[in-house]
Amino acid sequence: MKLYLHFFSMHLKSRMAYKKSFFFSVVGQFLSAFAAVVTIWFLFARFESVRGYTLGECMLCTGVILMSFSLAECFFRGFDRFSRVVREAQFDRLLLRPRSLIFQLICQEIDFARLGKLLQGALMLGYGIAVSPVSWTPARAAVLAGMVLGGTAVFASLFLLYAALCFFTLEGLEFMNVFTDGAREFAAYPLDVYGTAILKFCTYIVPYALFQYYPLTYLLGRTDSPLCALAPLAAPLFALPCWIVWRVGVRKYQSAGS
């Protein structure tokens, strides 16, 4: 942890060396996520609800997804740019160091500009909390916090999977953006609005529903099942198959040269 905090401080100081540039980067990230807010707002200006969900309830979904995605982008950015590391043979240097490869990649890049999206997500979540018909208790607040942390774990795992596939392709696979940037868009609404097939996919294949749909139904009082409340605790298990693919990729790795 001490070493990670050292890298954290180093990255922060490097960004703050150009304060104006950092400020405009944060503002740009904040505005880039604004289109999602406008889309949802205009949709509910025309329709009072979407499959029984109100604007405030959908804002809870959007806030959770955007905050989770932003935290993963901020602190796990090294995986998202891993194709360059492999292509330029920088990974060879990481293999020589007496530290975990995953730890080195996490420390390699921390993108504080993504805090703009995090702020956008926090505002949307705050609005959803204020207007949604949820009777907030410490238990429900804990479930909401678990939704954000579980979502961060799932998106970080997807970034790890993206990096693992780069061992086999050298170039990053753009279709993975469907599960990262794409999820940030379509998961702005409770996943059951898309039908049973999508909900099953988002439960058993890529587990967005574990930190979005199931705990949301608990918060909204649509179910009293404790399994739905505890579902975000299972979301980080998605990291296991992603880590296995990563380990296979490391074993298959051959230097790409310079």
Side-chain angles (χ1 to χ4, degrees), residues 40-50 53-55 58:
I40 296 172
W41 185 271
F42 280 114
L43 176 65
F44 280 93
R46 178 66 179 84
F47 305 100
E48 292 184 0
S49 64
V50 175
Y53 294 99
T54 64
L55 173 61
C58 287

Side-chain angles (χ1 to χ4, degrees), residues 229-249:
L230 297 175
L233 297 179
L237 295 177
F238 180 60
L240 180 59
C242 298
W243 177 80
I244 291 173
V245 177
W246 166 266
R247 291 301 304 167
V248 172

Side-chain angles (χ1 to χ4, degrees), residues 4 68-82 102-103 105-112 114 149 151-163 239:
Y4 177 78
S68 300
F69 183 77
S70 302
L71 286 170
E73 268 200 317
C74 179
F75 295 104
F76 298 91
R77 189 66 171 171
F79 296 125
D80 195 33
R81 299 184 177 178
F82 186 68
I102 291 178
F103 177 78
L105 286 170
I106 291 174
C107 294
Q108 187 167 284
E109 187 168 357
I110 301 175
D111 193 351
F112 290 102
R114 305 295 167 174
L149 295 177
T152 303
V154 169
F155 282 116
S157 300
L158 286 169
F159 287 141
L160 176 62
L161 179 61
Y162 170 85

Side-chain angles (χ1 to χ4, degrees), residues 22-219:
F22 174 70
F23 172 77
F24 284 114
S25 295
V26 172
V27 171
Q29 289 294 321
F30 179 88
L31 295 176
S32 69
F34 194 68
V37 184
V38 173
T39 301
I40 296 172
W41 185 271
F42 280 114
L43 176 65
F44 280 93
R46 178 66 179 84
F47 305 100
E48 292 184 0
S49 64
V50 175
R51 199 165 183 174
Y53 294 99
T54 64
L55 173 61
E57 292 167 351
C58 287
M59 281 294 186
L60 284 177
C61 286
T62 307
V64 166
I65 287 291
L66 191 54
M67 288 187 69
S68 300
F69 183 77
S70 302
L71 286 170
E73 268 200 317
C74 179
F75 295 104
F76 298 91
R77 189 66 171 171
F79 296 125
D80 195 33
R81 299 184 177 178
F82 186 68
S83 60
R84 182 187 63 191
V85 174
V86 174
R87 190 170 60 251
E88 297 177 1
Q90 297 178 25
F91 190 68
D92 297 29
R93 186 166 62 245
L94 302 184
L95 289 169
L96 297 175
R97 295 172 180 167
R99 289 287 179 177
S100 163
L101 295 172
I102 291 178
F103 177 78
Q104 291 185 65
L105 286 170
I106 291 174
C107 294
Q108 187 167 284
E109 187 168 357
I110 301 175
D111 193 351
F112 290 102
R114 305 295 167 174
L115 296 178
K117 287 182 182 178
L118 181 64
L119 177 60
Q120 177 77 266
L123 291 175
M124 297 170 72
L125 187 62
Y127 179 84
I129 291 172
V131 304
S132 61
V134 178
S135 299
W136 291 102
T137 63
R140 282 190 166 87
V143 171
L144 183 62
M147 291 168 69
V148 175
L149 295 177
T152 303
V154 169
F155 282 116
S157 300
L158 286 169
F159 287 141
L160 176 62
L161 179 61
Y162 170 85
L165 294 177
C166 291
F167 286 119
F168 306 97
T169 63
L170 294 184
E171 293 288 345
L173 297 176
E174 290 298 323
F175 84 88
M176 285 296 297
N177 291 332
V178 173
F179 303 107
T180 52
D181 295 270
R184 187 187 63 192
E185 301 298 330
F186 79 80
Y189 305 93
L191 292 170
D192 64 332
V193 306
Y194 301 107
T196 304
I198 295 297
L199 181 58
K200 288 182 177 179
F201 177 87
C202 293
T203 300
Y204 302 110
I205 307 301
V206 184
Y208 306 115
L210 294 184
F211 69 88
Q212 194 248 42
Y213 172 70
Y214 295 112
L216 181 69
T217 60
Y218 175 81
L219 292 181

